[in-house]
Amino acid sequence: GPAPDLFFAPPPFMSRFLCGLAQAAVMPLILSISTLQWLGVFIAFMVVNEKELTFWNTVGVLCGTYVSIKFGTLFLVVILKWLVIGRTKPGRYPLWGAYFFRWWFVQRLNALVHPSYLANSPIMRLYLRLMGAKLGSGVMIAHAEFGAADLVEVGAGASIGHKANIANAEVIGGQLLIGRVKIGRDAYIGNQSIVPIGCDIGNDARVEDMTALIEDTVVAPAEIWDGSPAKKIGMVDV
């Protein structure tokens, strides 16, 4: 068929200017949280160095400081997320508008948690649940990316691979699109695969590594999908 029409009217200059101003205003906070994660340990070392502690006591204090900062950052990001955007609402929003700014801010805060550290651990489930995601028991999530974690539902026993992209928020043309994604019980989402807005992955289904689904794809229970663009290639032996 004919190529899709990708033309869109550029957002007004004032929208871009005001959004850029707001982004510049919050950058000191983002950079301060980022800097604290390594500067805090350095300051702690300067303090304990004057106390003449033993080597192992010094190591213990510094490790405790680092862990406290990392978990403190995690809970601070969760609190700021709910203050800034609350529960993310599906819809279409103008690029550089107020809602785009709030979504962008939350995405930058999420990066400060360094989710790769939490990969394949129960702490990843805890963090995503605190951010609003609906996760069943025993869900295994590696260093996946989420456009809007609180609009993702994952059934018990499902597995989401390394650098999988649950792309339920994306900028297309002059709009930010945000929607829901549902992943069924015991389903598998492969490494570096893409699951965009509106996808519904059935129970026991398998989306193979580096597979690119298109929007609103319904993968029926126990189906195997592969490729880019993805297509059904078989069935799982449940």
Side-chain angles (χ1 to χ4, degrees):
D5 181 8
L6 299 178
F7 173 80
F8 66 95
F13 170 77
M14 191 53 67
S15 294
R16 288 179 283 151
F17 177 77
L18 292 175
C19 185
L21 211 61
Q23 289 172 322
V26 298
M27 281 307 294
L29 173 63
I30 293 171
L31 294 174
S32 296
I33 297 172
S34 178
T35 304
L36 178 65
Q37 296 186 22
W38 58 267
L39 189 61
V41 177
F42 179 69
I43 293 172
F45 174 74
M46 293 177 63
V47 171
V48 300
N49 200 38
E50 298 176 356
K51 303 291 185 182
E52 297 183 357
L53 298 178
T54 66
F55 172 78
W56 288 112
N57 284 343
T58 301
V59 169
V61 169
L62 296 181
C63 288
T65 300
Y66 185 69
V67 170
S68 299
I69 290 172
K70 295 299 289 186
F71 279 95
T73 300
L74 188 153
F75 289 112
L76 176 62
V77 165
V78 169
I79 291 167
L80 287 173
K81 182 265 182 190
W82 290 104
L83 290 175
V84 169
I85 205 169
R87 183 167 291 282
T88 312
K89 296 180 177 65
R92 293 173 174 263
Y93 304 95
L95 181 60
W96 309 118
Y99 205 85
F100 168 82
F101 165 73
R102 291 158 68 190
W103 170 80
W104 170 88
F105 188 22
V106 169
Q107 291 297 100
R108 300 287 68 75
L109 291 171
N110 175 65
L112 296 173
V113 176
H114 299 294
S116 59
Y117 289 171
L118 311 178
N120 298 318
S121 77
I123 303 173
M124 178 67 94
R125 288 199 299 272
L126 170 66
Y127 171 61
L128 290 172
R129 282 171 177 154
L130 290 174
M131 293 292 271
K134 295 179 181 177
L135 306 180
S137 62
V139 170
M140 181 66 78
I141 299 177
H143 182 204
E145 298 178 12
F146 295 83
D150 50 357
L151 293 177
V152 176
E153 182 178 344
V154 185
S159 177
I160 300 177
H162 182 65
K163 290 189 176 178
N165 188 357
I166 311 302
N168 62 326
E170 54 185 339
V171 174
I172 299 179
Q175 292 184 316
L176 168 66
L177 277 59
I178 302 177
R180 301 182 185 277
V181 164
K182 184 176 180 182
I183 298 170
R185 188 182 65 252
D186 294 319
Y188 170 77
I189 307 298
N191 301 316
Q192 298 183 311
S193 55
I194 299 176
V195 181
I197 293 168
C199 286
D200 187 344
I201 314 298
N203 298 341
D204 298 301
R206 184 177 180 93
V207 177
E208 296 287 9
D209 295 349
M210 295 191 287
T211 294
L213 298 175
I214 61 173
E215 286 184 9
D216 300 317
T217 299
V218 176
V219 177
E223 286 186 348
I224 303 172
W225 283 56
D226 193 14
S228 177
K231 61 181 183 293
K232 178 185 173 184
I233 63 166
M235 297 294 292
V236 171
D237 182 354
V238 177

